[in-house]
């Protein structure tokens, strides 16, 4: 049964998945049962089924996903307008047996509202510089990078802000997060 949800957010190319991996590995090295999951995975899986697309390719950072990103966002918004928790429930239900679940891609206030009201949770924002994002392949796309899926949590008060700057060591920040998690378990 899930004892804690670590709800991570950040802009595209901020390093959310990388930081998720480091937190997961550090917790597992201490014997904690951890799963990492993405809200977008359940969205992409359903979108792929409906549109007869390659689900595995939609999970990558490649051009295939970028080709469909804008339409996926619009479709996801339509679905969320009917049930704001649908993709959060699907994500968490896929890993319900873990002690700690790291949700690597929270993007909306409704995502945090779901996790905060249903679980003991820790909210983390991964931030980096605009130059670091560009070095990692970020290019501004109108209708994507100025949409709720990228900006919906810009003014949220996070429990922790993790600075993921290229070339800087993350160990101290990861260890501080792990300490908070251990104390919450």
């Amino acid at each position: 049964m899930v004892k804690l949800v670590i709800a991570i957010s950040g802009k595209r190319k901020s390093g959310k998945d990388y930081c998720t991996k480091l937190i997961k590995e550090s917790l597992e090295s201490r014997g904690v049962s951890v799963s990492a999951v993405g809200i977008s995975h359940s969205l992409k899986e359903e979108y792929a089924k409906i549109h007869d697309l390659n689900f595995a390719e939609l999970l990558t950072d490649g051009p295939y996903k970028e080709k469909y990103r804008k339409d996926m966002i619009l479709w996801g918004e339509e679905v969320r307008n009917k049930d704001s928790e649908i993709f959060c429930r699907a994500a968490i239900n896929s890993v319900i047996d873990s002690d700690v679940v790291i949700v690597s891609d929270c993007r909306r206030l409704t995502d945090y509202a779901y996790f905060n009201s249903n679980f003991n949770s820790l909210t983390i924002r991964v931030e980096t510089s605009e130059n670091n994002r560009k070095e990692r392949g970020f290019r501004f796309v109108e209708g994507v990078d100025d949409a709720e899926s990228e900006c919906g949590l810009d003014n949220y008060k996070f429990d922790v802000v993790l600075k993921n700057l290229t070339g800087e060591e993350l160990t101290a920040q990861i260890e501080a997060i792990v300490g908070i998690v251990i104390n919450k378990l």
Side-chain angles (χ1 to χ4, degrees), residues 45-120:
E45 184 174 23
E46 190 61 26
Y47 183 84
K49 285 179 193 171
I50 291 168
H51 295 91
D52 196 29
L53 298 173
N54 184 322
F55 171 57
E57 283 294 315
L58 290 177
L59 292 176
T60 71
D61 277 342
Y64 187 84
K65 178 175 81 175
E66 293 307 317
K67 179 178 176 182
Y68 298 103
R69 181 187 291 274
K70 204 170 187 176
D71 190 52
M72 269 194 301
I73 290 170
L74 294 172
W75 175 82
E77 292 303 321
E78 288 176 17
V79 173
R80 279 187 184 91
N81 286 337
K82 295 174 187 157
D83 179 357
S84 65
E85 299 176 348
I86 188 169
F87 299 120
C88 292
R89 279 194 313 272
I92 205 80
N93 286 341
S94 70
V95 290
I96 203 74
D97 291 335
S98 299
D99 289 335
V100 174
V101 174
I102 305 173
V103 181
S104 63
D105 63 349
C106 293
R107 298 193 173 273
R108 291 165 184 77
L109 290 172
T110 54
D111 296 345
Y112 277 172
Y114 173 78
F115 294 119
N116 289 336
S117 65
N118 291 288
F119 300 94
N120 183 18

Side-chain angles (χ1 to χ4, degrees), residues 121-138:
S121 65
L122 176 68
T123 61
I124 299 175
R125 177 69 158 199
V126 176
E127 292 183 350
T128 194
S129 70
E130 194 72 21
N131 282 340
N132 283 170
R133 290 174 70 206
K134 287 178 181 175
E135 289 168 2
R136 297 170 187 166
F138 172 75

